[in-house]
C-alpha cells in the first residue's frame, strides 16, 4: 500500500498537530487545533474533534465511522467525509497528503495575520525575540518553583504583603504624595517597575512552557497610554481550564512576590532614607497595579482567569452577543445557551455596566473639577463634550474595523 493510499484509508494527522480541550463559545463547544509548522490555530466542533483525535493511522474509515455512530447515534455519509477531508486538505493537516506550496501559503498568511494584529491606533506590539530556547534553559533550574512546597508559602507571603499595604495605606500614600522626593528615587522606582513587569510577562511564558506550550514571542507593547513588555502565549488554549488559570495568574503572582523584599525593608528597615522611601513607593504602586490586573472587567489577567475558570472562550465578546440576541429577538433567542452560561453572561453584562458607569462618573467628575479650576465651568463642559464626541467617533471607527476584520476571517477558516 502506498503512502497516499494509507493516508485516505487509515488517515493520520501530521506530526506536531495538537488538539485542545473543549471551550464554550456562546451556544457551541469549540476545540482549538494548533499546526506548529504553519503557525495557524483553527477552531473545530466536538464532532470534528472526535474524528481528528482518532486519526492516528491505526483506524480505517469504517472503524472511525463505527465509533462515530456509537458516540453520536448517526452514520456518516459520503458528503460528510468529503466535507471533513476537504477541510483537512485545505489546512494541510493530513500526513502524507501535504503540498509544500500550500504549506508555504498558509505559513505566509499566518505571519501576515500576526503582523496586522500588532498594529493599531491605540495598541501595537514590537516583537524582539523568541523566548522559547531561553525558557527551555531556565525551566530545569526553576522546576522547584512550580511545586506546592514553594507555591503555598509564596502565596501566603503575597497575601501578607497585600495585608500590610491595606493596613498602612495612608502612610504609603503620604510617601508618594510628598513633593520633596529625590529624582533618583523616582527614576529607580520607574526602572524597577519595568523590571517587575518584565518578570510578570516571563512568568506567563515560563508557566506556559512548564505545561507543554510555547511562548512564541517576547517584546514591547504599546497600549494607550502605557508602554510595557509582553510575552505571547497562544498555546494556552490547548490547556485544561486549571492550567489556563494558573498561566494567567502567574504574572500577578510573581509581581506581588517581587514586592516581598520591599515589605521587609518597610517592616524591619530604618524608617528613613532613600531605600525606605523607594520601598514605600514600590509597595503602593506595585500592589495597585496587581489589583488593577485582577479586575475582571478589563482585558487583563483577572479577566482571562475568570474566562478560563468558567471554560468560556471569550467572556466579554460572547456577553455582547448574548445581550444583542436577547434584546433584538427576545428570550427565545438565547434558549440554546446552557442555563449556567445564560446566568454568567447576564450577570457579567450587568456588573460590567455598573462598573463602567461608576468609573466613567468618577473620571468625568474629577476631570470636570480640574478643568473648571483651570478654565471656567462653561469651558469645562465644552471640553468634556468635545472629548466625548472624539471618543465616540474613535470607538465607532474601531468597531467598524473589528467587524470588517471578523468578516474577512482567516483564509482557511477558524
Amino acid at each position: 500500500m502506498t503512502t497516499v493510499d494509507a493516508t485516505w484509508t487509515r488517515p493520520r494527522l501530521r506530526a506536531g498537530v495538537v488538539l485542545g480541550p473543549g471551550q464554550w463559545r456562546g451556544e457551541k463547544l469549540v476545540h482549538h487545533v494548533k499546526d506548529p509548522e504553519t503557525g495557524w490555530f483553527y477552531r473545530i466542533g466536538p464532532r470534528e474533534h472526535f474524528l481528528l483525535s482518532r486519526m492516528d493511522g491505526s483506524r480505517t474509515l469504517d472503524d472511525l465511522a463505527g465509533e462515530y455512530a456509537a458516540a453520536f447515534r448517526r452514520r456518516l455519509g459520503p458528503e460528510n467525509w468529503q466535507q471533513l477531508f476537504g477541510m483537512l486538505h485545505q489546512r494541510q493537516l493530513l500526513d502524507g497528503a501535504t503540498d509544500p506550496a500550500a504549506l508555504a501559503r498558509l505559513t505566509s498568511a499566518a505571519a501576515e495575520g500576526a503582523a496586522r494584529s500588532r498594529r493599531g491606533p491605540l495598541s501595537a506590539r514590537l516583537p524582539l525575540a523568541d523566548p522559547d530556547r531561553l525558557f527551555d534553559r531556565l525551566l530545569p533550574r526553576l522546576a522547584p518553583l512550580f511545586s506546592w512546597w514553594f507555591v503555598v508559602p509564596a502565596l501566603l507571603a503575597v497575601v501578607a504583603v497585600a495585608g500590610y499595604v491595606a493596613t498602612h495605606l495612608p502612610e504609603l500614600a503620604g510617601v508618594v504624595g510628598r513633593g520633596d522626593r529625590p529624582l533618583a528615587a523616582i527614576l529607580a522606582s520607574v526602572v524597577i517597575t519595568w523590571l517587575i513587569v518584565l518578570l510578570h510577562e516571563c512568568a506567563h511564558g515560563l508557566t506556559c512552557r512548564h505545561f507543554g506550550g510555547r511562548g512564541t514571542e517576547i517584546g514591547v507593547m504599546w497600549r494607550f497610554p502605557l508602554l510595557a513588555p509582553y510575552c505571547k502565549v497562544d498555546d494556552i488554549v490547548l490547556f485544561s481550564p486549571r492550567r489556563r488559570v494558573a498561566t494567567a495568574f502567574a504574572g500577578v503572582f510573581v509581581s506581588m512576590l517581587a514586592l516581598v523584599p520591599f515589605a521587609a525593608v518597610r517592616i524591619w528597615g530604618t524608617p528613613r532614607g532613600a531605600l525606605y522611601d523607594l520601598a514605600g513607593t514600590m509597595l503602593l504602586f506595585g500592589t495597585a497595579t496587581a489589583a488593577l490586573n485582577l479586575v475582571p472587567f478589563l482585558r487583563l489577567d483577572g479577566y482571562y482567569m475568570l474566562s478560563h475558570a468558567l471554560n468560556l472562550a471569550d467572556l466579554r465578546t460572547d456577553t455582547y452577543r448574548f445581550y444583542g440576541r436577547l434584546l433584538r429577538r427576545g428570550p427565545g433567542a438565547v434558549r440554546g445557551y446552557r442555563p449556567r452560561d445564560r446566568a454568567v453572561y447576564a450577570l457579567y453584562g450587568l456588573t460590567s455596566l455598573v462598573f463602567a458607569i461608576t468609573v466613567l462618573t468618577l473620571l468625568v467628575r474629577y476631570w470636570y473639577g480640574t478643568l473648571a479650576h483651570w478654565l471656567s465651568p462653561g469651558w469645562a463642559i465644552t471640553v468634556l463634550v468635545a472629548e466625548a464626541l472624539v471618543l465616540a467617533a474613535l470607538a465607532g471607527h474601531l468597531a467598524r474595523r473589528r467587524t470588517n476584520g471578523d468578516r474577512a476571517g482567516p483564509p482557511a477558516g477558524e
Side-chain angles (χ1 to χ4, degrees):
M1 180 182 296
T2 66
T3 302
V4 175
D5 291 336
T7 297
W8 303 110
T9 57
R10 294 180 180 270
R12 179 201 304 269
L13 296 183
R14 281 200 347 259
V17 173
V18 184
L19 306 179
Q23 290 179 276
W24 286 94
R25 186 85 197 237
E27 300 172 283
K28 299 178 180 178
L29 184 67
V30 299
H31 296 260
H32 285 87
V33 180
K34 177 190 176 182
D35 181 2
E37 184 169 344
T38 63
W40 273 97
F41 283 81
Y42 304 105
R43 283 199 295 265
I44 60 175
R47 296 172 185 264
E48 292 86 354
H49 178 269
F50 181 88
L51 291 169
L52 266 61
S53 66
R54 287 159 173 76
M55 290 186 176
D56 55 5
S58 66
R59 296 173 175 86
T60 65
L61 294 185
D62 289 338
D63 295 332
L64 292 171
E67 293 182 22
Y68 183 92
F72 296 102
R73 301 180 183 277
R74 178 185 172 187
R75 301 292 301 181
L76 290 169
E79 67 281 359
N80 301 122
W81 287 116
Q82 184 177 6
Q83 183 179 11
L84 178 64
F85 279 102
M87 179 270 289
L88 293 172
H89 174 71
Q90 183 184 23
R91 300 172 182 179
Q92 299 289 294
L93 296 177
L94 277 180
D95 184 40
T98 56
D99 176 12
L103 284 173
R105 285 194 298 269
L106 288 171
T107 304
S108 176
E112 290 174 4
R116 284 196 302 270
S117 70
R118 298 188 188 111
R119 299 188 298 268
L122 297 179
S123 64
R125 291 181 178 182
L126 176 63
L128 299 178
D130 182 345
D132 213 39
R133 294 173 62 183
L134 173 63
F135 290 163
D136 280 342
R137 289 198 297 270
L138 291 176
L139 267 180
R141 298 180 177 88
L142 300 178
L145 302 185
F146 291 94
S147 70
W148 286 110
W149 294 106
F150 172 80
V151 171
V152 172
L155 279 173
L156 293 175
V158 165
V159 172
V161 169
Y164 175 84
V165 172
T167 55
H168 294 76
L169 194 57
E171 175 190 342
L172 296 173
V175 171
V176 176
R178 286 202 337 258
D180 59 344
R181 299 177 64 230
L183 179 61
I186 296 174
L187 292 177
S189 65
V190 172
V191 172
I192 295 173
T193 298
W194 245 74
L195 292 175
I196 290 177
V197 174
L198 179 61
L199 288 175
H200 174 119
E201 295 302 323
C202 287
H204 288 309
L206 282 165
T207 306
C208 179
R209 194 74 188 98
H210 171 73
F211 290 135
R214 292 187 63 237
T216 54
E217 65 184 42
I218 194 166
V220 178
M221 175 179 64
W222 157 255
R223 181 177 289 176
F224 180 82
L226 301 175
L227 186 69
Y230 77 93
C231 183
K232 197 173 181 182
V233 287
D234 292 339
D235 283 3
I236 194 172
V237 297
L238 305 173
F239 300 162
S240 66
R242 181 179 63 83
R243 291 185 172 186
R244 293 201 301 269
V245 172
T247 304
F249 177 62
V252 173
F253 177 50
V254 168
S255 294
M256 286 297 295
L257 201 58
L259 300 179
V260 171
F262 298 107
V265 170
R266 293 291 298 189
I267 295 171
W268 294 298
T270 304
R272 68 176 70 89
L275 182 59
Y276 192 77
D277 179 284
L278 175 63
T281 302
M282 294 307 306
L283 283 174
L284 183 64
F285 283 113
T287 306
T289 301
L292 185 67
N293 250 298
L294 292 176
V295 174
F297 308 114
L298 306 174
R299 280 188 177 270
L300 299 172
D301 294 338
Y303 167 79
Y304 292 109
M305 288 169 62
L306 179 60
S307 293
H308 297 325
L310 296 170
N311 200 29
L312 300 175
D314 193 338
L315 178 57
R316 178 187 289 182
T317 301
D318 291 336
T319 297
Y320 291 158
R321 291 174 179 168
F322 171 84
Y323 271 99
R325 296 177 66 171
L326 179 65
L327 296 175
R328 284 196 305 267
R329 292 183 281 171
V334 296
R335 285 178 185 157
Y337 289 79
R338 296 186 301 167
R340 189 211 72 162
D341 292 346
R342 287 200 297 267
V344 167
Y345 293 136
L347 181 60
Y348 184 79
L350 289 175
T351 52
S352 296
L353 181 62
V354 172
F355 174 80
I357 291 174
T358 302
V359 171
L360 183 61
T361 301
L362 293 174
L363 287 175
V364 170
R365 182 178 177 181
Y366 171 79
W367 190 226
Y368 170 79
T370 303
L371 290 173
H373 176 73
W374 289 344
L375 306 170
S376 68
W379 277 109
I381 294 175
T382 302
V383 172
L384 286 172
V385 171
E387 289 176 340
L389 292 175
V390 170
L391 290 174
L394 180 60
H397 172 69
L398 293 176
R400 286 192 297 273
R401 282 187 56 179
R402 187 177 294 112
T403 301
N404 292 336
D406 290 342
R407 286 174 182 169
E414 290 188 332

